Amino acid sequence: MREETDQQILEGLALGSRRSFRQLYERYGGLVLNTTLRLSRNREDAEEATQDAFLAMARLGNRAREIESPRAWLLRVASNRVLDLKRRLSSRPEGFIQDTGQGREDDPSNLIPMEQLLFCDARQRDVYYEKQLTDRIAALAEALPERQLLAFSLRHFQEMSLKETAEVMECTVGAVKAHLHIATGKIRKQLVLEGFLAPTTRETMEQSE
Amino acid sequence: MNHQELVHRQFVESVEEWLLGELDAQRDREMEIHFNSCPECARVAEQTAELLSLARSTQGITPSHARMESLYDNMMGHLEEENVFTRPQIPPRDKSAPRTLEPVRFLAVAAIFLFLLLGAGAVSSHLQRTNDFQIPYLQTSQASLLIPKEVELPLLERQRQFEEALSNRGPESSPIP
């Protein structure tokens, strides 16, 4: 199948082309679903939000031509939807929440037999430590407030530029920077508290106070 | 918060951009100099670098091909039901292309123009026939009223001299004084 530009796909979509819709889904379906899964650990919500975003774009008809970046548009609609669903989920009864327990102290995947740690070599210990830290970063990111989570997720998990992130979040680049600074600061501080990272002298003083 | 703390804070706030190489050359150099001289901020920068590197290395959950296809089929089901792809779409007018008149419109405009032209001709000929359109010319006596006094007096003087010369002249002399 010939690769079309985003604008050609939007033009096709405006004229009601199934092929253009297929191409759009193949190009951005994975990215949108991955992002929504990052924002909500609930697979059903992520899939529903992804579908809603693509359906909304297909229903635009002639107005599809007015979209500048379909990637930003889809991510914006899908992330708004998934955060909305997440909000509703948090208001559901407790037993309803699908918590994977990832990153929690009692999570069995976080535990490693002591003998294994004692007899493994330094490289293996580094790999283990890195995995633990990576999982913890992902878990702490998921616990961030919505806007900070969205900014952190788009910027660092999806590696989008500041401008693209601002476009998806419908805010200024300055606002994205502020969200990111707060989010990264929170995650780093928590990692310091949990002993993953060494505190600075200032932080040690703050903790002792 | 004292001045020193504020300076440290400003550098720490720009750490992410510095790590991702998004600062201008001057600010980049300033950050480097500060981190070389401040071990506290350097540690924050080092830890943030590790944090971001790990965050960026994490792979999200990649859905299986079968799952993606199932989602696609589900969406297509909705769209087919709504006739989204069979609904005729009107292509918008190309704004860059020059405007052209369709034949019917062109004929209508031409007919209006012709009607106006013929109407103006008929009115004009009617006015000429009824002499309603003549310009009232000024009579000599009325025209003399329009001559200013400064011009009128020398003229009268010259006329008087002319008449005097006429009365005094012989048959061979010139009438002009």
Side-chain angles (χ1 to χ4, degrees), chain B residues 94-147:
Chain B
D94 184 7
K95 285 175 184 167
S96 61
R99 273 178 175 275
T100 49
L101 278 176
E102 291 162 28
V104 177
R105 278 191 188 171
F106 176 77
L107 284 175
V109 171
I112 291 166
F113 183 72
L114 201 67
F115 176 78
L116 288 173
L117 202 70
L118 289 173
V123 169
S124 165
S125 66
H126 175 74
L127 284 174
Q128 272 179 359
R129 266 204 309 278
T130 53
N131 287 330
D132 286 347
F133 201 58
Q134 284 178 353
I135 299 167
Y137 293 103
L138 286 172
Q139 298 298 315
T140 320
S141 56
Q142 289 172 316
S144 67
L145 291 172
L146 298 174
I147 299 169

Short mmCIF file of all heavy atoms in Angstrom, two decimals, chain B residues 94-147:
data_model
loop_
_atom_site.label_atom_id
_atom_site.label_comp_id
_atom_site.label_asym_id
_atom_site.label_seq_id
_atom_site.Cartn_x
_atom_site.Cartn_y
_atom_site.Cartn_z
N ASP B 94 -12.07 25.07 -4.25
CA ASP B 94 -10.65 25.38 -4.14
C ASP B 94 -10.49 26.90 -4.10
O ASP B 94 -10.76 27.59 -5.08
CB ASP B 94 -9.90 24.80 -5.35
CG ASP B 94 -8.40 25.02 -5.22
OD1 ASP B 94 -7.95 25.50 -4.17
OD2 ASP B 94 -7.69 24.71 -6.20
N LYS B 95 -10.06 27.41 -2.92
CA LYS B 95 -10.00 28.87 -2.75
C LYS B 95 -8.89 29.51 -3.57
O LYS B 95 -8.94 30.70 -3.88
CB LYS B 95 -9.82 29.19 -1.27
CG LYS B 95 -11.11 28.99 -0.49
CD LYS B 95 -10.92 29.19 0.98
CE LYS B 95 -12.22 28.87 1.71
NZ LYS B 95 -12.05 28.74 3.13
N SER B 96 -7.89 28.70 -3.94
CA SER B 96 -6.78 29.28 -4.70
C SER B 96 -7.15 29.45 -6.19
O SER B 96 -6.58 30.27 -6.90
CB SER B 96 -5.54 28.39 -4.58
OG SER B 96 -5.85 27.12 -5.11
N ALA B 97 -8.12 28.66 -6.67
CA ALA B 97 -8.51 28.74 -8.08
C ALA B 97 -9.33 30.01 -8.33
O ALA B 97 -10.10 30.42 -7.47
CB ALA B 97 -9.34 27.52 -8.46
N PRO B 98 -9.17 30.66 -9.53
CA PRO B 98 -9.95 31.87 -9.79
C PRO B 98 -11.43 31.54 -9.94
O PRO B 98 -11.79 30.46 -10.39
CB PRO B 98 -9.36 32.38 -11.09
CG PRO B 98 -8.73 31.20 -11.73
CD PRO B 98 -8.29 30.31 -10.64
N ARG B 99 -12.26 32.51 -9.56
CA ARG B 99 -13.71 32.31 -9.63
C ARG B 99 -14.16 32.31 -11.09
O ARG B 99 -13.72 33.14 -11.87
CB ARG B 99 -14.43 33.46 -8.92
CG ARG B 99 -14.60 33.21 -7.45
CD ARG B 99 -15.27 34.41 -6.82
NE ARG B 99 -15.56 34.18 -5.42
CZ ARG B 99 -16.65 33.57 -4.99
NH1 ARG B 99 -17.54 33.12 -5.84
NH2 ARG B 99 -16.85 33.40 -3.71
N THR B 100 -15.00 31.40 -11.50
CA THR B 100 -15.52 31.38 -12.87
C THR B 100 -17.05 31.39 -12.80
O THR B 100 -17.63 30.79 -11.90
CB THR B 100 -15.07 30.12 -13.63
OG1 THR B 100 -15.33 29.00 -12.80
CG2 THR B 100 -13.58 30.18 -13.96
N LEU B 101 -17.66 32.09 -13.79
CA LEU B 101 -19.13 32.15 -13.81
C LEU B 101 -19.67 30.95 -14.58
O LEU B 101 -19.18 30.63 -15.65
CB LEU B 101 -19.60 33.43 -14.48
CG LEU B 101 -19.61 34.69 -13.63
CD1 LEU B 101 -20.01 35.87 -14.47
CD2 LEU B 101 -20.60 34.54 -12.47
N GLU B 102 -20.65 30.31 -14.04
CA GLU B 102 -21.28 29.21 -14.75
C GLU B 102 -22.09 29.81 -15.90
O GLU B 102 -22.50 30.98 -15.83
CB GLU B 102 -22.23 28.47 -13.80
CG GLU B 102 -21.50 27.72 -12.71
CD GLU B 102 -22.41 27.35 -11.56
OE1 GLU B 102 -23.62 27.20 -11.80
OE2 GLU B 102 -21.91 27.28 -10.44
N PRO B 103 -22.35 29.04 -17.00
CA PRO B 103 -23.06 29.59 -18.18
C PRO B 103 -24.38 30.27 -17.84
O PRO B 103 -24.67 31.35 -18.35
CB PRO B 103 -23.27 28.36 -19.06
CG PRO B 103 -22.27 27.38 -18.60
CD PRO B 103 -21.94 27.66 -17.19
N VAL B 104 -25.18 29.65 -16.98
CA VAL B 104 -26.50 30.22 -16.64
C VAL B 104 -26.33 31.58 -15.96
O VAL B 104 -26.99 32.56 -16.30
CB VAL B 104 -27.29 29.24 -15.74
CG1 VAL B 104 -28.62 29.85 -15.35
CG2 VAL B 104 -27.48 27.92 -16.44
N ARG B 105 -25.39 31.60 -15.02
CA ARG B 105 -25.14 32.86 -14.29
C ARG B 105 -24.62 33.92 -15.24
O ARG B 105 -24.99 35.09 -15.15
CB ARG B 105 -24.11 32.63 -13.18
CG ARG B 105 -24.71 32.04 -11.93
CD ARG B 105 -23.72 32.09 -10.83
NE ARG B 105 -24.19 31.36 -9.66
CZ ARG B 105 -23.45 31.10 -8.61
NH1 ARG B 105 -22.19 31.48 -8.58
NH2 ARG B 105 -23.93 30.45 -7.58
N PHE B 106 -23.75 33.49 -16.17
CA PHE B 106 -23.16 34.43 -17.12
C PHE B 106 -24.26 35.06 -17.98
O PHE B 106 -24.30 36.27 -18.18
CB PHE B 106 -22.13 33.70 -17.99
CG PHE B 106 -21.55 34.57 -19.06
CD1 PHE B 106 -20.56 35.51 -18.73
CD2 PHE B 106 -21.99 34.49 -20.37
CE1 PHE B 106 -20.03 36.33 -19.70
CE2 PHE B 106 -21.46 35.31 -21.35
CZ PHE B 106 -20.47 36.23 -21.01
N LEU B 107 -25.20 34.22 -18.45
CA LEU B 107 -26.30 34.71 -19.29
C LEU B 107 -27.17 35.69 -18.51
O LEU B 107 -27.59 36.73 -19.04
CB LEU B 107 -27.14 33.54 -19.80
CG LEU B 107 -26.51 32.74 -20.95
CD1 LEU B 107 -27.36 31.53 -21.27
CD2 LEU B 107 -26.37 33.62 -22.21
N ALA B 108 -27.43 35.37 -17.26
CA ALA B 108 -28.27 36.24 -16.41
C ALA B 108 -27.61 37.61 -16.24
O ALA B 108 -28.27 38.65 -16.39
CB ALA B 108 -28.49 35.58 -15.07
N VAL B 109 -26.31 37.62 -15.96
CA VAL B 109 -25.59 38.87 -15.76
C VAL B 109 -25.58 39.69 -17.07
O VAL B 109 -25.81 40.90 -17.07
CB VAL B 109 -24.14 38.59 -15.27
CG1 VAL B 109 -23.29 39.85 -15.27
CG2 VAL B 109 -24.18 38.00 -13.87
N ALA B 110 -25.36 38.99 -18.19
CA ALA B 110 -25.32 39.67 -19.50
C ALA B 110 -26.69 40.30 -19.82
O ALA B 110 -26.77 41.42 -20.32
CB ALA B 110 -24.92 38.68 -20.58
N ALA B 111 -27.78 39.58 -19.51
CA ALA B 111 -29.14 40.07 -19.79
C ALA B 111 -29.42 41.33 -18.97
O ALA B 111 -29.97 42.32 -19.50
CB ALA B 111 -30.15 38.99 -19.47
N ILE B 112 -29.01 41.32 -17.71
CA ILE B 112 -29.23 42.49 -16.84
C ILE B 112 -28.47 43.70 -17.39
O ILE B 112 -28.99 44.81 -17.50
CB ILE B 112 -28.82 42.18 -15.39
CG1 ILE B 112 -29.79 41.16 -14.78
CG2 ILE B 112 -28.78 43.44 -14.53
CD1 ILE B 112 -29.31 40.54 -13.50
N PHE B 113 -27.24 43.46 -17.80
CA PHE B 113 -26.38 44.53 -18.33
C PHE B 113 -27.00 45.12 -19.60
O PHE B 113 -27.08 46.34 -19.77
CB PHE B 113 -24.99 43.95 -18.61
CG PHE B 113 -24.01 44.97 -19.09
CD1 PHE B 113 -23.49 45.93 -18.21
CD2 PHE B 113 -23.61 45.00 -20.42
CE1 PHE B 113 -22.58 46.88 -18.65
CE2 PHE B 113 -22.71 45.96 -20.87
CZ PHE B 113 -22.19 46.90 -19.98
N LEU B 114 -27.50 44.25 -20.50
CA LEU B 114 -28.10 44.69 -21.76
C LEU B 114 -29.36 45.50 -21.51
O LEU B 114 -29.59 46.54 -22.13
CB LEU B 114 -28.43 43.44 -22.60
CG LEU B 114 -28.59 43.67 -24.09
CD1 LEU B 114 -27.26 44.09 -24.71
CD2 LEU B 114 -29.10 42.41 -24.76
N PHE B 115 -30.14 45.05 -20.55
CA PHE B 115 -31.38 45.74 -20.20
C PHE B 115 -31.09 47.16 -19.71
O PHE B 115 -31.73 48.12 -20.12
CB PHE B 115 -32.12 44.92 -19.13
CG PHE B 115 -33.37 45.58 -18.63
CD1 PHE B 115 -34.55 45.56 -19.38
CD2 PHE B 115 -33.38 46.25 -17.40
CE1 PHE B 115 -35.68 46.20 -18.90
CE2 PHE B 115 -34.51 46.88 -16.94
CZ PHE B 115 -35.67 46.85 -17.70
N LEU B 116 -30.11 47.27 -18.87
CA LEU B 116 -29.74 48.58 -18.32
C LEU B 116 -29.25 49.51 -19.43
O LEU B 116 -29.58 50.69 -19.48
CB LEU B 116 -28.66 48.43 -17.25
CG LEU B 116 -29.13 47.82 -15.93
CD1 LEU B 116 -27.94 47.56 -15.01
CD2 LEU B 116 -30.14 48.72 -15.22
N LEU B 117 -28.47 48.94 -20.35
CA LEU B 117 -27.90 49.72 -21.47
C LEU B 117 -29.02 50.26 -22.37
O LEU B 117 -29.07 51.44 -22.73
CB LEU B 117 -26.94 48.84 -22.26
CG LEU B 117 -25.90 49.55 -23.10
CD1 LEU B 117 -24.88 50.21 -22.19
CD2 LEU B 117 -25.21 48.57 -24.03
N LEU B 118 -29.96 49.38 -22.72
CA LEU B 118 -31.08 49.78 -23.60
C LEU B 118 -31.96 50.81 -22.90
O LEU B 118 -32.41 51.79 -23.51
CB LEU B 118 -31.91 48.55 -23.97
CG LEU B 118 -31.23 47.58 -24.95
CD1 LEU B 118 -32.06 46.31 -25.11
CD2 LEU B 118 -31.03 48.23 -26.31
N GLY B 119 -32.20 50.63 -21.63
CA GLY B 119 -33.02 51.55 -20.84
C GLY B 119 -32.41 52.95 -20.84
O GLY B 119 -33.10 53.95 -21.06
N ALA B 120 -31.10 53.02 -20.63
CA ALA B 120 -30.42 54.31 -20.60
C ALA B 120 -30.52 55.01 -21.95
O ALA B 120 -30.75 56.22 -22.05
CB ALA B 120 -28.96 54.10 -20.21
N GLY B 121 -30.39 54.24 -23.05
CA GLY B 121 -30.49 54.79 -24.41
C GLY B 121 -31.88 55.37 -24.67
O GLY B 121 -32.03 56.46 -25.20
N ALA B 122 -32.90 54.62 -24.24
CA ALA B 122 -34.29 55.06 -24.46
C ALA B 122 -34.57 56.35 -23.71
O ALA B 122 -35.17 57.29 -24.26
CB ALA B 122 -35.23 53.96 -24.00
N VAL B 123 -34.13 56.45 -22.52
CA VAL B 123 -34.35 57.65 -21.69
C VAL B 123 -33.67 58.85 -22.34
O VAL B 123 -34.24 59.94 -22.47
CB VAL B 123 -33.84 57.42 -20.25
CG1 VAL B 123 -33.81 58.72 -19.46
CG2 VAL B 123 -34.74 56.40 -19.54
N SER B 124 -32.45 58.64 -22.80
CA SER B 124 -31.67 59.72 -23.41
C SER B 124 -32.36 60.25 -24.68
O SER B 124 -32.51 61.46 -24.87
CB SER B 124 -30.27 59.19 -23.72
OG SER B 124 -29.63 60.05 -24.58
N SER B 125 -32.82 59.34 -25.53
CA SER B 125 -33.46 59.78 -26.78
C SER B 125 -34.78 60.50 -26.49
O SER B 125 -35.13 61.47 -27.16
CB SER B 125 -33.67 58.59 -27.71
OG SER B 125 -34.61 57.73 -27.12
N HIS B 126 -35.49 60.06 -25.48
CA HIS B 126 -36.74 60.70 -25.10
C HIS B 126 -36.49 62.15 -24.67
O HIS B 126 -37.20 63.07 -25.08
CB HIS B 126 -37.41 59.91 -23.98
CG HIS B 126 -38.63 60.56 -23.43
ND1 HIS B 126 -39.83 60.57 -24.12
CD2 HIS B 126 -38.85 61.24 -22.26
CE1 HIS B 126 -40.72 61.23 -23.40
NE2 HIS B 126 -40.15 61.64 -22.27
N LEU B 127 -35.46 62.35 -23.87
CA LEU B 127 -35.13 63.70 -23.38
C LEU B 127 -34.75 64.63 -24.53
O LEU B 127 -35.12 65.80 -24.57
CB LEU B 127 -34.00 63.63 -22.36
CG LEU B 127 -34.40 63.12 -20.97
CD1 LEU B 127 -33.16 62.96 -20.11
CD2 LEU B 127 -35.39 64.05 -20.30
N GLN B 128 -34.01 64.10 -25.50
CA GLN B 128 -33.59 64.91 -26.65
C GLN B 128 -34.80 65.35 -27.48
O GLN B 128 -34.89 66.46 -27.96
CB GLN B 128 -32.61 64.12 -27.50
CG GLN B 128 -31.18 64.30 -27.01
CD GLN B 128 -30.20 63.51 -27.82
OE1 GLN B 128 -30.58 62.82 -28.75
NE2 GLN B 128 -28.94 63.63 -27.45
N ARG B 129 -35.75 64.40 -27.62
CA ARG B 129 -36.94 64.69 -28.42
C ARG B 129 -37.78 65.78 -27.78
O ARG B 129 -38.33 66.63 -28.44
CB ARG B 129 -37.77 63.41 -28.57
CG ARG B 129 -37.48 62.63 -29.84
CD ARG B 129 -38.67 61.76 -30.24
NE ARG B 129 -39.17 60.93 -29.16
CZ ARG B 129 -38.65 59.77 -28.80
NH1 ARG B 129 -37.57 59.30 -29.43
NH2 ARG B 129 -39.17 59.07 -27.82
N THR B 130 -37.90 65.79 -26.53
CA THR B 130 -38.78 66.76 -25.86
C THR B 130 -38.06 68.08 -25.51
O THR B 130 -38.63 68.95 -24.87
CB THR B 130 -39.35 66.16 -24.56
OG1 THR B 130 -38.25 65.68 -23.79
CG2 THR B 130 -40.30 65.03 -24.83
N ASN B 131 -36.81 68.23 -25.92
CA ASN B 131 -36.00 69.44 -25.68
C ASN B 131 -35.93 69.83 -24.20
O ASN B 131 -35.78 70.98 -23.85
CB ASN B 131 -36.54 70.65 -26.47
CG ASN B 131 -36.23 70.49 -27.93
OD1 ASN B 131 -35.23 69.88 -28.29
ND2 ASN B 131 -37.09 71.02 -28.77
N ASP B 132 -36.12 68.85 -23.38
CA ASP B 132 -36.06 69.14 -21.95
C ASP B 132 -34.62 69.19 -21.45
O ASP B 132 -34.37 69.55 -20.31
CB ASP B 132 -36.80 68.05 -21.16
CG ASP B 132 -38.29 68.22 -21.31
OD1 ASP B 132 -38.69 69.28 -21.80
OD2 ASP B 132 -39.03 67.28 -20.95
N PHE B 133 -33.77 68.79 -22.33
CA PHE B 133 -32.41 68.60 -21.88
C PHE B 133 -31.47 69.68 -22.42
O PHE B 133 -30.28 69.51 -22.49
CB PHE B 133 -31.97 67.20 -22.35
CG PHE B 133 -30.82 66.67 -21.57
CD1 PHE B 133 -30.90 66.51 -20.19
CD2 PHE B 133 -29.63 66.35 -22.21
CE1 PHE B 133 -29.82 66.03 -19.48
CE2 PHE B 133 -28.55 65.86 -21.50
CZ PHE B 133 -28.65 65.70 -20.13
N GLN B 134 -32.04 70.89 -22.90
CA GLN B 134 -31.19 71.94 -23.48
C GLN B 134 -30.51 72.76 -22.40
O GLN B 134 -31.12 73.05 -21.37
CB GLN B 134 -32.03 72.86 -24.35
CG GLN B 134 -32.36 72.21 -25.68
CD GLN B 134 -33.24 73.10 -26.55
OE1 GLN B 134 -33.69 74.15 -26.10
NE2 GLN B 134 -33.45 72.68 -27.77
N ILE B 135 -29.33 73.21 -22.73
CA ILE B 135 -28.60 74.04 -21.77
C ILE B 135 -29.03 75.49 -21.97
O ILE B 135 -28.97 76.00 -23.07
CB ILE B 135 -27.08 73.92 -21.98
CG1 ILE B 135 -26.65 72.45 -21.78
CG2 ILE B 135 -26.32 74.83 -21.05
CD1 ILE B 135 -25.27 72.17 -22.28
N PRO B 136 -29.53 76.15 -20.95
CA PRO B 136 -29.94 77.56 -21.12
C PRO B 136 -28.70 78.47 -21.25
O PRO B 136 -27.96 78.63 -20.30
CB PRO B 136 -30.71 77.84 -19.83
CG PRO B 136 -30.22 76.82 -18.86
CD PRO B 136 -29.69 75.66 -19.61
N TYR B 137 -28.50 79.03 -22.50
CA TYR B 137 -27.32 79.90 -22.72
C TYR B 137 -27.55 81.26 -22.10
O TYR B 137 -28.67 81.75 -22.05
CB TYR B 137 -27.03 80.05 -24.22
CG TYR B 137 -26.59 78.75 -24.84
CD1 TYR B 137 -27.46 77.99 -25.61
CD2 TYR B 137 -25.29 78.29 -24.62
CE1 TYR B 137 -27.05 76.80 -26.16
CE2 TYR B 137 -24.89 77.09 -25.17
CZ TYR B 137 -25.77 76.34 -25.93
OH TYR B 137 -25.37 75.17 -26.45
N LEU B 138 -26.48 81.89 -21.65
CA LEU B 138 -26.58 83.22 -21.03
C LEU B 138 -26.77 84.29 -22.11
O LEU B 138 -26.18 84.22 -23.19
CB LEU B 138 -25.29 83.52 -20.27
CG LEU B 138 -25.09 82.76 -18.96
CD1 LEU B 138 -23.69 83.04 -18.45
CD2 LEU B 138 -26.11 83.16 -17.94
N GLN B 139 -27.63 85.23 -21.83
CA GLN B 139 -27.79 86.36 -22.75
C GLN B 139 -26.62 87.32 -22.54
O GLN B 139 -25.98 87.31 -21.48
CB GLN B 139 -29.12 87.10 -22.44
CG GLN B 139 -30.36 86.23 -22.63
CD GLN B 139 -30.54 85.75 -24.07
OE1 GLN B 139 -30.39 86.55 -24.99
NE2 GLN B 139 -30.82 84.48 -24.24
N THR B 140 -26.35 88.23 -23.55
CA THR B 140 -25.20 89.14 -23.47
C THR B 140 -25.32 90.06 -22.25
O THR B 140 -24.36 90.32 -21.55
CB THR B 140 -25.10 89.99 -24.75
OG1 THR B 140 -25.40 89.14 -25.83
CG2 THR B 140 -23.72 90.59 -24.91
N SER B 141 -26.58 90.56 -22.03
CA SER B 141 -26.78 91.47 -20.90
C SER B 141 -26.50 90.78 -19.56
O SER B 141 -25.94 91.35 -18.65
CB SER B 141 -28.22 91.99 -20.92
OG SER B 141 -29.08 90.87 -20.90
N GLN B 142 -26.91 89.46 -19.55
CA GLN B 142 -26.67 88.70 -18.31
C GLN B 142 -25.17 88.45 -18.13
O GLN B 142 -24.65 88.52 -17.03
CB GLN B 142 -27.40 87.36 -18.35
CG GLN B 142 -28.90 87.50 -18.22
CD GLN B 142 -29.61 86.18 -18.48
OE1 GLN B 142 -29.26 85.47 -19.42
NE2 GLN B 142 -30.60 85.89 -17.66
N ALA B 143 -24.50 88.21 -19.29
CA ALA B 143 -23.06 87.94 -19.24
C ALA B 143 -22.30 89.14 -18.74
O ALA B 143 -21.34 88.99 -17.98
CB ALA B 143 -22.57 87.56 -20.63
N SER B 144 -22.75 90.34 -19.12
CA SER B 144 -22.03 91.54 -18.70
C SER B 144 -22.10 91.74 -17.18
O SER B 144 -21.21 92.31 -16.58
CB SER B 144 -22.60 92.78 -19.40
OG SER B 144 -23.90 92.98 -18.93
N LEU B 145 -23.17 91.22 -16.60
CA LEU B 145 -23.30 91.33 -15.15
C LEU B 145 -22.25 90.51 -14.42
O LEU B 145 -21.92 90.77 -13.27
CB LEU B 145 -24.69 90.85 -14.71
CG LEU B 145 -25.86 91.73 -15.11
CD1 LEU B 145 -27.17 91.03 -14.79
CD2 LEU B 145 -25.78 93.07 -14.39
N LEU B 146 -21.75 89.53 -15.17
CA LEU B 146 -20.76 88.64 -14.55
C LEU B 146 -19.34 89.20 -14.62
O LEU B 146 -18.45 88.69 -13.96
CB LEU B 146 -20.80 87.26 -15.23
CG LEU B 146 -22.13 86.51 -15.11
CD1 LEU B 146 -22.10 85.24 -15.94
CD2 LEU B 146 -22.44 86.17 -13.66
N ILE B 147 -19.12 90.30 -15.43
CA ILE B 147 -17.76 90.86 -15.57
C ILE B 147 -17.44 91.69 -14.33
O ILE B 147 -18.22 92.55 -13.94
CB ILE B 147 -17.64 91.73 -16.84
CG1 ILE B 147 -17.92 90.84 -18.08
CG2 ILE B 147 -16.27 92.39 -16.95
CD1 ILE B 147 -18.09 91.64 -19.36
#
